[in-house]
Amino acid sequence: MQLTDFEKAMLDGVNGRAKAAAMDLLVRYGEAVGAERLVETNNVAGAFNASTPSVKRIVDKGFDAVYSELNLDSDEIVEIPHMAVNTWQLITGIDNDNWALQGADESLVQMQRDSEAYLGERGVNMCATCTPYQVGNVPIKGEHCAWMESSAVIYCNSVLGARTNVEGKESTGAAALTGRIPYWGYHLPENRFGTHLIEVDIAVDDMMDWGLLGYFVGEQVEENKPVLNNIAHHPNMVKLKHFGAAAASSGGVELYHIPGITTEANTLAEAFGPHKAVKTIHYGHKEREAMYMKLQSATDRKVDFIMLGCPHNSIEQMALIAELLRGKRIHPDTALWVHTPRAIKQVAERNGYLRAIEAAGAVVMSDTCPAISRRLPKGVRVIATDSAKQAHYLPAIANVQGWFGSVTDCVRAAISGQWQGRV
Ligand code: F3S
C-alpha cells in the first residue's frame, strides 16, 4: 500500500506509539482488502466506551489498555493521546440514568462513567446514539467518514451522500488517532452505482411502510445496491432512517439511491451510471403483506415489553408518542421503553413530552438499546416494536416472541397489554 511521508512517519513511531499502532492496524486492514492507499477522514463514529462485564478484566490495567486492545488490536499497552480528528461515540451498553431498570450492576455503571471521562478528555464526543446525524454529526456529500453501525452507515452513504464502509471498533479507533482510513469499497466513486432496480408499485408513506419496504429490499438484494423507482410520497428523515435500518438488517445494504430524493442521483441513469440494472424487482401489496407476516414471530397476544426508538427516536417521534400517551396509563403487566439520543431527551423534557410519557408509566432511555445492551425487563416473553430492525434481531437475541407494527399499534399494546395490530 502506498503511504505518504506523513503516514510513513506515523507508522515509524515519530508521532508516538499509539499512532504507530494505529497505522500498523490500518496498513494490515488496507492490505487485506486490497486498498492501494489511505484516505483522509475528519469524521469518525465508533464504539470506544467500556460498559460490558467482559471489559472489566482489561479496565484493571487502565483505560489506555482498553483502547490499545479493543480499539487498536495492539498487544502492547500504548498511551492514548487526544483524538486527531472529529470523533463520536455511538450507542453504549448502559443508560447512565436508568441503569437500575436495565438490571445493570452499579460497578459497571461507574466503569462506563470513568471510561466516558477518559474518552471525553481525549476528544471523543459522547453523543451515545446510533443516529449521530440526528444530533449534529451530518457529514456532507462526498465527505470520507469512518463509521460503524449498519443503520448509521446506510444513512450516511445514501441519504447524505458521504462515504463510509461499515467499520469496526479497531478501524475506527485507528482512524480517530490518525485521520486516515483505507481507501476502498464505498470510498471509491465507481463502487457507488446502483445494481438492482426496485419498482415500487404501491404507495409507501408512513414509517411502518418504509420499514416493510426496507425489509423487503434487503432480503432481495442482500449486499447489493438497490435503486428505488416510482416513489409516490416524498419521505423524510424518520422514514429513511427506518427504511435503511431494515434494509441493513434483512440484507447487508450499505448504499441505496432514490433518484430525485437521495443525494447522489437525480435520475435513474445517474443512479446506475455506466451499468445496467442486473435485476428488476417489483414491490406490491403481496410483498408488503409477506414482509409484515415475516416480522411477526409472536403468537401470544399478551405483550410484556414494548420497545420504541430503533434507530433512536427523533424529536417528532417523541412528540407523537407523548401525544398517544397523554392522560393514559400503560398496563400494569407491561413495560414501555422509549429510546432517544440524550440530546433529544433534553428537548423532549423542555417540551413536556417526557412528562407525558413518564406520567403514563413509560421510561425514556438514552445511550443504549435492548439489542446492544442485551438488557430487557426481567421475565419478558413477548415484545412489540415499531422497528423492523428490532423485530428482526430482538427475538433471536433475547429468546422472546415479537410483534411488529405501527407506533400507534405499539402504544395501544402498552396501554391494553394486548397486541391488536393488523397489516
Ligand atoms: Fe440503534 Fe439499537 Fe436499533 S443500535 S439501530 S436502536 S438495534
Side-chain angles (χ1 to χ4, degrees), residues 153-170:
V153 164
I154 190 172
Y155 195 93
C156 180
N157 273 325
S158 313
V159 182
L160 304 177
R163 300 181 177 190
T164 182
N165 295 305
V166 178
E167 298 296 346
K169 274 173 95 92
E170 299 84 354

Side-chain angles (χ1 to χ4, degrees), residues 12 29 113 132 150 167 231 252 387 406:
D12 291 341
Y29 163 30
R113 289 191 179 134
S150 64
E167 298 296 346
I231 294 297
S387 161
S406 67

Side-chain angles (χ1 to χ4, degrees), residues 36-62:
E36 289 176 3
R37 65 178 177 92
L38 302 173
V39 66
E40 283 188 42
T41 178
N42 185 31
N43 194 325
V44 178
F48 305 91
N49 219 349
S51 64
T52 57
S54 61
V55 183
K56 264 187 166 170
R57 73 174 166 85
I58 320 174
V59 170
D60 292 341
K61 293 183 246 167

Side-chain angles (χ1 to χ4, degrees), residues 91 130 149 151 309-312 369 371-372 389-390:
I91 202 159
C130 49
E149 167 44 39
S151 74
C310 166
H312 275 177
C369 81
I372 292 293
K389 177 172 180 176
Q390 201 74 200

Side-chain angles (χ1 to χ4, degrees), residues 95 98 101 304-309 313 317-318 320-340 345 352-366 377 407 410-415:
D95 178 325
N98 288 306
L101 281 174
D304 311 304
F305 175 52
I306 296 90
M307 189 281 174
L308 301 176
N313 275 336
Q317 290 176 284
M318 295 300 285
L320 173 61
I321 294 163
E323 200 46 48
L324 292 168
L325 283 172
R326 205 173 295 279
K328 309 262 177 28
R329 278 299 295 175
I330 66 165
H331 193 276
D333 296 340
T334 67
L336 168 58
W337 290 2
V338 180
H339 299 77
T340 192
K345 185 175 176 179
Y353 305 152
L354 203 62
R355 202 166 43 248
I357 294 170
E358 289 178 347
V363 176
V364 176
M365 292 251 176
S366 290
V407 183
C410 289
V411 172
R412 266 195 206 132
I415 293 166

